[in-house]
Structures are given as C-alpha cells and as structure tokens.
Amino acid sequence: MEFETGFTSAPDGSVLTRFGRTMVLCTCRVVPGVPRFRAEGSGWMTAEYCMTPGSTNDRFQRERRGAKGRTMEIERLIGRSLRACVDLAGFGDHTVHVDCEVLQADGGTRTASISGAFVALALAADSMIERGLITRSPFKGTLGAVSCGIIDGVPVLDLPYEEDARAEIDLNLVLLDGSAIVEVQATGEEGVMSRAELDALLELGTAGVRSLAVVQHEALGAGACARLGLQALA
Amino acid sequence: MEFETGFTSAPDGSVLTRFGRTMVLCTCRVVPGVPRFRAEGSGWMTAEYCMTPGSTNDRFQRERRGAKGRTMEIERLIGRSLRACVDLAGFGDHTVHVDCEVLQADGGTRTASISGAFVALALAADSMIERGLITRSPFKGTLGAVSCGIIDGVPVLDLPYEEDARAEIDLNLVLLDGSAIVEVQATGEEGVMSRAELDALLELGTAGVRSLAVVQHEALGAGACARLGLQALA
Amino acid sequence: MEFETGFTSAPDGSVLTRFGRTMVLCTCRVVPGVPRFRAEGSGWMTAEYCMTPGSTNDRFQRERRGAKGRTMEIERLIGRSLRACVDLAGFGDHTVHVDCEVLQADGGTRTASISGAFVALALAADSMIERGLITRSPFKGTLGAVSCGIIDGVPVLDLPYEEDARAEIDLNLVLLDGSAIVEVQATGEEGVMSRAELDALLELGTAGVRSLAVVQHEALGAGACARLGLQALA
Amino acid sequence: MEFETGFTSAPDGSVLTRFGRTMVLCTCRVVPGVPRFRAEGSGWMTAEYCMTPGSTNDRFQRERRGAKGRTMEIERLIGRSLRACVDLAGFGDHTVHVDCEVLQADGGTRTASISGAFVALALAADSMIERGLITRSPFKGTLGAVSCGIIDGVPVLDLPYEEDARAEIDLNLVLLDGSAIVEVQATGEEGVMSRAELDALLELGTAGVRSLAVVQHEALGAGACARLGLQALA
Amino acid sequence: MEFETGFTSAPDGSVLTRFGRTMVLCTCRVVPGVPRFRAEGSGWMTAEYCMTPGSTNDRFQRERRGAKGRTMEIERLIGRSLRACVDLAGFGDHTVHVDCEVLQADGGTRTASISGAFVALALAADSMIERGLITRSPFKGTLGAVSCGIIDGVPVLDLPYEEDARAEIDLNLVLLDGSAIVEVQATGEEGVMSRAELDALLELGTAGVRSLAVVQHEALGAGACARLGLQALA
Amino acid sequence: MEFETGFTSAPDGSVLTRFGRTMVLCTCRVVPGVPRFRAEGSGWMTAEYCMTPGSTNDRFQRERRGAKGRTMEIERLIGRSLRACVDLAGFGDHTVHVDCEVLQADGGTRTASISGAFVALALAADSMIERGLITRSPFKGTLGAVSCGIIDGVPVLDLPYEEDARAEIDLNLVLLDGSAIVEVQATGEEGVMSRAELDALLELGTAGVRSLAVVQHEALGAGACARLGLQALA
C-alpha cells in the first residue's frame, strides 16, 4: 500500500492510492454550507466511488444512467466509515466531498478507497486548519480498512482479483486506531463460514489495518499527524 | 415473529411476515429460463425489496426514479443470503423472483425480509416439487436473520425503530441452520464497538436465529419441511 | 367488497380493501403545508397507485424507471375522483397523500382503489378532526366506484380479470352519494357499444355503487359517518 | 375543423389539423414488422402525442425526462381509439406509428388529434393499398372525436381553452361512423354532473362528430374514401 | 429559404422556416426573470432543438429519455450563435426561450434553425419594444447560417440530405452581418480537407449567408428592421 | 505536453496525458465484435470523455443522470476525430473503446484528450498486431489537436483555464499528419472574429499540432511508429 499525496494539485486533498495493482485516486473538496437536513454549523461529509471504464480487464460500463447497486453499497460504506473517524461538527459550516476514482481494479478497491480517502481527508483537514477555516482537528483517530478471505481453507490478507473471485468467504474490516470496530462485513456467497473462521479473519484483518496505519502516517508526515492529533498505534 | 402463509393466493409462495409491528409481504414467482449470464439449467434467483409509502411515520417517497442506495444495499443482502441457502442448480431452468414489500416498518425490515423470504421460497420450492418442475429439494438448510444492537451498553435483540435509531451499534446476522455464518454486517455509525461487544452481539444474534427457526418450520408444516429436507436445529 | 380498517397502524388511515380476490392496501398520510401551486391554507390531495410484483399471475415488473402509462392514467383518475368528494380547502394547510398498493390483482383494481381510498381518507379526516387539525368535515358526500362490462351481450358488474379480458366493453363509474356522476370512462377496445348498451351499464353500475356505500359506511362506523356528515343514500 | 393533407411530404400520411386556434400536425409512418407481443402478420399501431413548447401561452416544458401523466393518458386514448376503427390484422406484417405534434393549443387537442390522426391513417392505408403492401382496406368505419362541456349550465361543443378551464364538466366522445361509441370520458373535476346532463352532452357530441365526418371525407377525397370503404353517415 | 412569420399565433415570435424541403418551426417565449447564475437584469436566452418523429424518412425516435448527443450539440450551437448577435443585457430582466421544431428534415436543419430562430427572435424583440418591456434593440446585427460541403471535389451550398450524406466534407458557417465569424464548424468524417478547400467553402458560405440576409429582412419588414437597427449588408 | 504510457497496466493501451496542469488518463479496450449497425468485420470505435469530480476547482458534479451537453459534444468530437485517422475496417471484427478520464482540468481538455487518445489507440493497435488480431496498421497518419485563442488581440496557443475564460475567440483544430484538416471548430461566444483572425489562428494551431507530433512519436517509440506506418512530418 502506497499513498502518493498531491498527485493532482487542484483539490483540497489528493492522494493516489496503490494497493498491489489496484490504483484509486482519492480527492477531497471542501465547500461552504451543509445540506438542509443538517443543522447549520454541524458539518457534513459525503463520499462517491466510481470505477473508470479502463480499470478492469473487461471494460466496465460507465454508470451514466444511475449507479449500480454494488457502487451504491460501496459508497455508503465509505461514507459511513469516514463519518465514524471524525466529529462532523468539527468541520463547522462546511461540507466535505470525498471522491474515489478507481483507475485500476485488482481486488480490494473498497478498502483501498477507505484507507486512501482517510489520507485525503486528513490533508484537507490540515489545509482547513492552515487556512483558518477550522481551529482544531475533527479526527477521533486513524481510519484504516483491509479485506481478507479464506482460500482453500487458509485466511489470506488483501486478495488480488483472481484470488478474490476464488475465495469462499470475504471479509471487509474497518477499524479506528487499529482496534475499535467501525464496520465488519463478512459474506460467504460461495459458502458459509464457521465462527472460528470469522475469528481468524478478524485477527488477520486487525493486524493488516495496524501495519497500514504506519504507512498512512508516513504519507501524511509527522507535522500533519501532530496537528491533527493522530497518534501512533499502541 | 409470525409467518402467515397464503396471505395472497396468486404467487408461487406468499407469506405475510410480522415481526413486532414490522410487516413484510414476501412473495415468490417462478418463471421459466435463466438470465443470459447463467448456463442453461443452472437456475437463478433475484430479490427485490420495497418500502411502501405508507409503511413509515413520515411518508416514504416511492422510488420511481431509481432505487436509493439503502434499498439497493438491502436487496443485494437479501439476494446473497437466499442464494447461500440453496443449490441454485437445483432450480433447473427456472428463475425465482422474490419480492419483499414492507407494509409497515418498525425496525428490522431487512432481517424480517430475509426470514420471511426463506419461508416463501420454501413454499415455492415445495410447490415446484409437487408440480414436477424439480425433483428434489434445492435447500442446503434453514435460513434465518436477526438484527441486534447495543443500547446504553446492553446488547438487545430485534430493536424497534425508535430504539434502533438510538443504538450506537447495529448488527445484522444471517445464519444457515442456526450456526454457519452467511452474512455479518456490523456498523457503528454513531460509535464504534470493541471486539468483546461484537462477540456478545454474535452470541445474542445466534440465539435469536435459532429460536426463529422453530417458528419458520411451524409455518411451513412438518410435511413441507420433510419434503425439502429442512431439519430441526441440533 | 370488504374494508378492513386499521390493517397497518402507522399511517393516518389504513384500509385493506378486498374485492373478490383483488386486494388493495389504501393508506393516507397527512403532512403540513401545500404545494407551491396552491394558495396557503387551501389544502391539497394527491394519489399514487402501484401494482406490487407479486400481485399478478405473471410477475409485474416493478416501476423503478418511471411509471407506465396505465399506472399514471389510473393515478390521475383516483386523484381526480377523491378531489371531487371533498372541499380541498377543508384540509386547511395540509396535504393528504393517498397510496394504493395492489397486493393481489384480479380485475377492478382501479375502482377498488377509489372505493378503499375513500374509506382511508374518511378515517384520516376523522382523525384530523379528533386531533383538532381541522374543525369540520371536508366531505361533500360518499365516493364509490365500480367497473362493469358486457360479456356475450350481457352487462355484468365487477368482472374478475379473466372475464374482464374477455369483455368487449368496459365501463368505470365513479359516483358521489350514489347518483351524481364524478367520472365515467367507457371504452370498447375490442368492440364498440351502442347508446343502449351504455345506458344499461350506467344503470347497473349505479346500483353497484349504491350497495357499496352501505359497506363503506359500516366499515367507517356510525360515529365517524356522523362526524363527517356522511349520510345513508336516499 | 380543417384538415390540410400533405402538409409535409416525407411521412406516409401527413395532415395539419386546425380546430379553432388549435393546430396539430398528424403524421404516419409505416414500418415493416410487428412488436414481439403480436403474432407475425397480425399488424400493430401505436400513437404518440406531444405538446411543443411554443404551443401554449406559458411555455410548455419539453418532456425529455419522461412524458407526464396527462401526455401518457392522452396517448393511450388516441391509440385505443385508432385501434378501434381498424382491423389490425389488415395491416399485415406492418406497424403503423402515428405522431401528433400539437403546434398550437387552444382546447380540444386530444380530440383534434384523434380526428386528424384518422385522416392521416386513412392516407397511409390508401398509400399502402396503392403500393401493394396490403390488398384491402383495414377500416371498420370513420373515426371522429369531439369534446364538449357545460358552462353556466349550458352544454357547449368544442370549447376553446379559456372556456374549457371554466367548464364544470368535460366530456370527450369518440365515435365510429357517428354512432357506435368507442370511448366516453366524462369528468367533473370542479363539479359533478347529473345523468340528464350526461345525456345532453352525449347528444351534443354525437351531432358534432357527425358533422365532422363530412369534413374528414372531403379532406380524403371521394376516391380514397371509396378505396377505403368509408361511407357517408346515414 | 422562406420565412413564414406568424405561422402560429400564441408565442412571442413564430416563424415557419422552409429551406428546400426542410421545414423548421421556430418560436420564442419571453418570460420574466433570469436564471440564478445570471445577475438580475442582465438577460438570458436559451435554445432547444427537436426533430419530430415524422420529420425523417425513417421515423425519428422521440427523445423522451434524454436528448441524444447530436441534438445537444446542435442546441448548444444554436444557443451560442443567437447569444452572439445580441447584447443579452438588452433583454433586461427577461429570459428568452427559443424553440426549433424540425417538421421536415432534408439537410441543413441546424443552419435553417439558426437563420429562422434569428427571425423569430427579432419578432419577439420588436414585440418587446412595442409592449415597452425593453426600450432599445438588443441586436448587434443580422445573424445567418448556411451549410455547405464538397461533393466529388466541388464545393456546393445547402446540401439536401441525400447529397449531404455523400459529402466528404461538411462546413457550417454562422456569420454576423454577413462577415464577422460567429461559428465555423468543419468536419470531414469521411475524409479530410486541405486548407485550400476550407478557404473555398468559407467563400461559398459567406456568399450564401449574405444573400440569405436579404430574405430575412424582407420577412421582418422594413419597419421592424429599422426599429431593431438591422441594416442592409454593405 | 507529455505522454506517460503504461500508466495503468490493465487496458490495451493506457496513457497519462499531461498538458500544462491538465491531466487526462486515456485508455483503450479492444473487444470482439462490432455493433449491429456495422457490417461484420468492418470495425468500430467509440469514445467517452469524463470530467472527474476532483478535476476542477469547483467540484464537478458526477454525471450519473445522463451526460451534459458539453460532455456529449466533446465525446462526439473525439470519436469523429479518431475515426478520421484510421481505416475502421482495419480493426476487423473488433470494437475499440477509448476512454478519456480528466483527472485535472486546466484548459484544453478536449484537445489533450484527442492527442492522448491517439497515442493510446496506437499502443492498442500495435498490441493487436503483436497478438495477431490484425495483420497491418489501420492508421492513415498521426492525429493531433490543439486549442488556441485570441487574448487582448493576440493569438495564443494552449490556453490555461483562466486565460481561456478571458479569450474572446476559441479555436480547436484537429489535423492529420500536421496538415490535412480533420476538424475545425471556431467559436466566439464573447465576440466575433474576422477572417484574418481565423487565418492567424489556423497558422498558429497548425504549428502547434506539428510540434506535438514529435512528442507523440517519442512516446510511442520508433519501433511502434514503424510497425504502424506513422512517419515523421515533412
């Protein structure tokens, strides 16, 4: 997992996230105001996720007549996860738009999106502090996500697409500061899993998220981490 | 949880599912043929989920310009869950459409839909056997689902809407024969959960699904359960 | 024709209407305010009609990409008919949403919807009076609707679907207090009708609506009828 | 009512229909084949209706995101009416598309469309006979339509828009050969009508349709009428 | 090229434009106010273009699920061209809607639409002056457009459809007062063109637009031209 | 202008095009078969263009409810331009999908897309030759595009967005082998241009496209240029 910050210069935060062969461009835009369903000054954040047509081996059809169910499910997961790692009110009277463009898809695009979006969001928040738009960090901790699965009975982290398609069981794990559970989604479309298998996947995933946090903090730099109150995991 | 079979007479299987104040009408339609992406004779099953406008205290806007993300996420969950409890090939050259109409929503509509859809599907399969469309049961076991959450620190099963909205943490659990995990979705939009809390919810949910299976089998009747190979949980 | 009031508990009025094998769930929601094209305080009412996928022998495709012409035609008929039996201004600064969900379709769904929606609307208005939202009944009279047709030369009331499809001529009649004409729609897609045949259908339909009013009043109860100023037909 | 045939040269039949200030361009296109739901060689006909933005005093918004309910209701009426005046099988393995473009709207656009579409359809059928696509007339008779209403208690034929908006009651009448009833649609959005008023409107409308037939036959010419078997009304 | 003004009476300006066999009905509607993205009182103008289904030899499918790319491209061209011949602020706090309905298409519909829309717009502006809505002409000059192409090596003006389809090269030219270039679009889908060929087409097109202006001024009449400050070309 | 080939590894051709601060990811996908409107074996190519939400200073709204007019206009331009530089039949029974994702927009995105898409297409064709899918180059020559404009009376090449917005006149020029004109689009939304100004822009643009070809050939490499028959400009 690599995070290339500043890949594009325009948005408030821009990170090219590489995760194996998977590449996701995560950008943030901070705009004034909040949606009508939020009280003034209480902040809001939304996330969008998009597979580009060239990202897959079979051309992925552009979603111009409405997003498909899978896309919407992933967008909702990204949005919920990001909202869990911040105090929304900390954004004041701003809405943060997070956009995840999948430039190359080889498994784990949703967890790469979450992990990269966290970095982009941290850059945006740091820039907001610098510009005086907000006065203190809105973050509760570091957000990370990994996917893992069971192949031929063995738990494996971060499956590339070919292996992912073979996995009997698939788990996506989103953690705050490498321990508190934000989201667990375990599904066994081709099979079912025992409680013991679930436990093994949770162990494996937790270790994965923890090592990921080190890379995220490096990408942000010590100064930004300090300003945002993001601490190394215990 | 109650399952009123034969609530409507038209479809292949029809079940009015009551779960507290929640009411979901689950129907099945068996149609010849499978979609083009499936090999001939290998069966298919799809699920749709719909909140009726009168089902909620605030009128729910009819989804005529495309389903919302929440609806699509739930539909995908129902479809994956149902496909996990059968051998699709057992439906031969037929597609089974499952429709879940939420007539009254008071929490747990997705798990009530899955549990009721299982009963409707079992009725449809039993009818297919009777009509000679298939020769043996396509079922791998009994499918059940419950939701639970943590309120004021206490794990609680089957939250009505008002409590659900207060829950810091929400878990949906789908099991086969009361033990094998089909789907786990745990989310903490308002908070995060510890591993211990997740374990407590999994215990509670498992017990809930197991007692639900008794009611599902009663609704189907001993004859249908025998013909479909659905056995009492150990 | 039967009207099971209070079938669901959530909405302002809820009626499960049975008409032969046809089943329509009619619900009302009263919300504050009126659309911009209405003067403040002058009331408004809208109606929606929806065939559920499980309601027909061939699965009815859910209308998620826009309602079909037949659906919109029926919705407009229901809305116009309901607006004819009330003084809209009597709803003050409220909009009443009426929703008709067809759970089982066996002919006459549009007239069953109108007749059932009237009962649901009356329940909602009665509840509004009770809650002090309005001070007097907005009703001009009792609204009822039937369909009839000519089969093998004989006028017949309330055709089930199989006969309806055979009918050369089809008439939908909506009356106020069993005599004043709100809507007449006569169509002879498979044939034409003479003026004498139209007259015979109008006679038959009028008798049908009059006997229906008795059942509607029983479902509402004498107290509600009195509060709403709905009188037995002369 | 005037019918200017050959207003455009491209389509199989083209008629500019004028009816007071109302102007509707009715065109036909005959294309090979029938839709899949029709048996081969059994013919089909469809109709579309469109208000152009410049046709009304307030600019009518172009329906590019789906037709509105009123438009679909009118299209269905035009289609049913036209199908009632022909033996569809007489079109053999062809589909006839009828398009009604309202260039100026001043009341009665749906009945002007039906009456003009009949003339365009007759021209198209005559051309089909001439080109040897069909060997005999598909027509059962002459189709005509008028609207009328009651204003200040007086039945009036063919209301211009301003009077139409004032009418308490509105009736659209479609007849075959000036006597057999194809469609009756009577609605009293602002009021209700007695049976006697309905009878008076039916008398008035019937006389209107009969005098219209003379103009339609003149526009077609004696030769075409003879070839198509359209006879002067008794 | 002919311009039949006042073809319909309802809109602010109405012109039936004939150009060979091509027929386009151009209408204007002036409505109070400007869109939110324009400063109050700074005027706005939009254009829509629509092929009617009966306008082509193969029935053109009505664009009810969104306009196609070709339609949108043409609309944008018409809008930009019209905005170039006026000072938008001259319309004050009004928005002018221009609608071009293609009743018959035989090549050059976009340039016929621009030339006819100019005449309709001039009529609307003249009417606005007369009604006191604006006090002076918003026009910078006379707008005209032609298309031309190269067939078998020879530059030809105003190609009918059959020749247009054969042309290797296609040029649309929009000029102000017959000399200043508003838009040039040259495309060689079937081939490419040399600079010399482009020059020849520009010469030919310029001559075409200049002779067109005479017809446009005649259609408007000397009085309107004077009031609007439209002068004969030098 | 820089072309970073192989930016992603999945598609048949992948080029990250940089043009000032503008960044466009151009990818190709070759799929078997051609659309129904093309004769078998006669090849086809389509192009799509998409602004990502993070590409602009104001967040660009994702086009999920249909592409806007500007997007469709640009897509059509890219498609026509690319089709002009190849013999489509040379692709045999394949369809080539070209996708241009604008990752950062700072003026000239349409011409950067065309120039980059040519490089991606050349890579895809070279790969097709290597894989034996086609036997010879389908190219007629090298395709390049630039935009230029007039600012304060001075013709300028490749305007960044801020200057582009100030330009009175805007020209997009697409050339084959630096001389034959594929497309010229000149527009003067804020002003008009004289023939002399058009000539000056054509000169400037031609020089720009010619120097661009050198960079394109370098990106492709001498070997690929030779295999594809792309020669240095005279």
Side-chain angles (χ1 to χ4, degrees), chain F residues 99-117:
Chain F
D99 287 287
C100 302
E101 314 296 328
V102 179
L103 304 185
Q104 190 155 279
D106 189 30
T109 62
R110 76 187 72 187
T111 48
S113 294
I114 292 170
S115 301

mmCIF file of all heavy atoms in Angstrom, chain F residues 99-117:
data_model
loop_
_atom_site.group_PDB
_atom_site.id
_atom_site.type_symbol
_atom_site.label_atom_id
_atom_site.label_comp_id
_atom_site.label_asym_id
_atom_site.label_seq_id
_atom_site.Cartn_x
_atom_site.Cartn_y
_atom_site.Cartn_z
ATOM 1 N N ASP F 99 -11.440 5.628 -23.702
ATOM 2 C CA ASP F 99 -11.986 6.355 -22.557
ATOM 3 C C ASP F 99 -11.004 7.409 -22.093
ATOM 4 O O ASP F 99 -9.833 7.117 -21.870
ATOM 5 C CB ASP F 99 -12.281 5.380 -21.408
ATOM 6 C CG ASP F 99 -13.495 4.535 -21.709
ATOM 7 O OD1 ASP F 99 -14.607 5.083 -21.657
ATOM 8 O OD2 ASP F 99 -13.329 3.350 -22.033
ATOM 9 N N CYS F 100 -11.505 8.631 -21.965
ATOM 10 C CA CYS F 100 -10.671 9.761 -21.544
ATOM 11 C C CYS F 100 -11.195 10.267 -20.202
ATOM 12 O O CYS F 100 -12.286 10.831 -20.139
ATOM 13 C CB CYS F 100 -10.734 10.888 -22.578
ATOM 14 S SG CYS F 100 -10.201 10.355 -24.222
ATOM 15 N N GLU F 101 -10.420 10.037 -19.151
ATOM 16 C CA GLU F 101 -10.813 10.495 -17.818
ATOM 17 C C GLU F 101 -9.991 11.737 -17.497
ATOM 18 O O GLU F 101 -8.767 11.643 -17.363
ATOM 19 C CB GLU F 101 -10.517 9.423 -16.758
ATOM 20 C CG GLU F 101 -10.941 8.014 -17.095
ATOM 21 C CD GLU F 101 -12.435 7.823 -17.249
ATOM 22 O OE1 GLU F 101 -13.200 8.524 -16.561
ATOM 23 O OE2 GLU F 101 -12.833 6.994 -18.092
ATOM 24 N N VAL F 102 -10.649 12.856 -17.331
ATOM 25 C CA VAL F 102 -9.945 14.089 -16.995
ATOM 26 C C VAL F 102 -9.688 14.096 -15.491
ATOM 27 O O VAL F 102 -10.618 14.220 -14.693
ATOM 28 C CB VAL F 102 -10.762 15.322 -17.407
ATOM 29 C CG1 VAL F 102 -10.015 16.598 -17.020
ATOM 30 C CG2 VAL F 102 -11.033 15.285 -18.904
ATOM 31 N N LEU F 103 -8.427 13.921 -15.099
ATOM 32 C CA LEU F 103 -8.087 13.894 -13.673
ATOM 33 C C LEU F 103 -7.819 15.296 -13.144
ATOM 34 O O LEU F 103 -7.997 15.573 -11.959
ATOM 35 C CB LEU F 103 -6.859 13.001 -13.436
ATOM 36 C CG LEU F 103 -6.972 11.551 -13.936
ATOM 37 C CD1 LEU F 103 -5.737 10.764 -13.512
ATOM 38 C CD2 LEU F 103 -8.219 10.865 -13.431
ATOM 39 N N GLN F 104 -7.373 16.177 -14.010
ATOM 40 C CA GLN F 104 -7.176 17.578 -13.630
ATOM 41 C C GLN F 104 -7.452 18.435 -14.859
ATOM 42 O O GLN F 104 -6.946 18.135 -15.943
ATOM 43 C CB GLN F 104 -5.747 17.804 -13.128
ATOM 44 C CG GLN F 104 -5.572 19.174 -12.495
ATOM 45 C CD GLN F 104 -4.427 19.182 -11.490
ATOM 46 O OE1 GLN F 104 -4.576 18.772 -10.365
ATOM 47 N NE2 GLN F 104 -3.281 19.636 -11.926
ATOM 48 N N ALA F 105 -8.260 19.466 -14.685
ATOM 49 C CA ALA F 105 -8.690 20.275 -15.822
ATOM 50 C C ALA F 105 -8.157 21.684 -15.695
ATOM 51 O O ALA F 105 -8.459 22.368 -14.722
ATOM 52 C CB ALA F 105 -10.223 20.309 -15.875
ATOM 53 N N ASP F 106 -7.351 22.088 -16.652
ATOM 54 C CA ASP F 106 -6.870 23.468 -16.660
ATOM 55 C C ASP F 106 -6.811 23.989 -18.090
ATOM 56 O O ASP F 106 -5.792 24.490 -18.539
ATOM 57 C CB ASP F 106 -5.502 23.557 -15.984
ATOM 58 C CG ASP F 106 -5.090 25.014 -15.778
ATOM 59 O OD1 ASP F 106 -5.986 25.859 -15.616
ATOM 60 O OD2 ASP F 106 -3.890 25.296 -15.790
ATOM 61 N N GLY F 107 -7.922 23.797 -18.827
ATOM 62 C CA GLY F 107 -7.977 24.277 -20.206
ATOM 63 C C GLY F 107 -7.510 23.213 -21.183
ATOM 64 O O GLY F 107 -6.658 22.381 -20.873
ATOM 65 N N GLY F 108 -8.094 23.194 -22.348
ATOM 66 C CA GLY F 108 -7.641 22.300 -23.412
ATOM 67 C C GLY F 108 -7.870 20.830 -23.147
ATOM 68 O O GLY F 108 -7.158 19.981 -23.687
ATOM 69 N N THR F 109 -8.891 20.477 -22.342
ATOM 70 C CA THR F 109 -9.083 19.054 -22.044
ATOM 71 C C THR F 109 -9.516 18.282 -23.276
ATOM 72 O O THR F 109 -9.178 17.115 -23.422
ATOM 73 C CB THR F 109 -10.113 18.841 -20.914
ATOM 74 O OG1 THR F 109 -11.375 19.352 -21.329
ATOM 75 C CG2 THR F 109 -9.669 19.515 -19.640
ATOM 76 N N ARG F 110 -10.257 18.897 -24.181
ATOM 77 C CA ARG F 110 -10.724 18.128 -25.339
ATOM 78 C C ARG F 110 -9.592 17.850 -26.321
ATOM 79 O O ARG F 110 -9.505 16.748 -26.856
ATOM 80 C CB ARG F 110 -11.931 18.770 -26.005
ATOM 81 C CG ARG F 110 -11.693 19.992 -26.866
ATOM 82 C CD ARG F 110 -12.998 20.616 -27.320
ATOM 83 N NE ARG F 110 -13.662 21.283 -26.194
ATOM 84 C CZ ARG F 110 -14.885 21.807 -26.253
ATOM 85 N NH1 ARG F 110 -15.588 21.728 -27.391
ATOM 86 N NH2 ARG F 110 -15.402 22.414 -25.210
ATOM 87 N N THR F 111 -8.707 18.829 -26.509
ATOM 88 C CA THR F 111 -7.613 18.578 -27.440
ATOM 89 C C THR F 111 -6.555 17.682 -26.807
ATOM 90 O O THR F 111 -5.967 16.833 -27.476
ATOM 91 C CB THR F 111 -7.010 19.906 -27.943
ATOM 92 O OG1 THR F 111 -6.763 20.764 -26.820
ATOM 93 C CG2 THR F 111 -7.969 20.605 -28.896
ATOM 94 N N ALA F 112 -6.329 17.811 -25.495
ATOM 95 C CA ALA F 112 -5.427 16.875 -24.818
ATOM 96 C C ALA F 112 -5.980 15.455 -24.907
ATOM 97 O O ALA F 112 -5.229 14.488 -25.100
ATOM 98 C CB ALA F 112 -5.239 17.286 -23.348
ATOM 99 N N SER F 113 -7.290 15.326 -24.777
ATOM 100 C CA SER F 113 -7.906 14.004 -24.865
ATOM 101 C C SER F 113 -7.692 13.397 -26.248
ATOM 102 O O SER F 113 -7.362 12.212 -26.377
ATOM 103 C CB SER F 113 -9.404 14.088 -24.575
ATOM 104 O OG SER F 113 -9.625 14.474 -23.232
ATOM 105 N N ILE F 114 -7.883 14.187 -27.290
ATOM 106 C CA ILE F 114 -7.706 13.664 -28.655
ATOM 107 C C ILE F 114 -6.255 13.245 -28.881
ATOM 108 O O ILE F 114 -5.973 12.155 -29.381
ATOM 109 C CB ILE F 114 -8.132 14.725 -29.698
ATOM 110 C CG1 ILE F 114 -9.632 14.942 -29.632
ATOM 111 C CG2 ILE F 114 -7.706 14.311 -31.107
ATOM 112 C CD1 ILE F 114 -10.134 16.129 -30.433
ATOM 113 N N SER F 115 -5.342 14.110 -28.472
ATOM 114 C CA SER F 115 -3.924 13.824 -28.720
ATOM 115 C C SER F 115 -3.469 12.608 -27.924
ATOM 116 O O SER F 115 -2.719 11.763 -28.416
ATOM 117 C CB SER F 115 -3.073 15.052 -28.352
ATOM 118 O OG SER F 115 -3.483 16.173 -29.117
ATOM 119 N N GLY F 116 -3.930 12.501 -26.663
ATOM 120 C CA GLY F 116 -3.564 11.359 -25.839
ATOM 121 C C GLY F 116 -4.275 10.094 -26.303
ATOM 122 O O GLY F 116 -3.689 9.000 -26.283
ATOM 123 N N ALA F 117 -5.513 10.231 -26.706
ATOM 124 C CA ALA F 117 -6.265 9.056 -27.160
ATOM 125 C C ALA F 117 -5.612 8.472 -28.405
ATOM 126 O O ALA F 117 -5.605 7.248 -28.597
ATOM 127 C CB ALA F 117 -7.716 9.441 -27.448
#
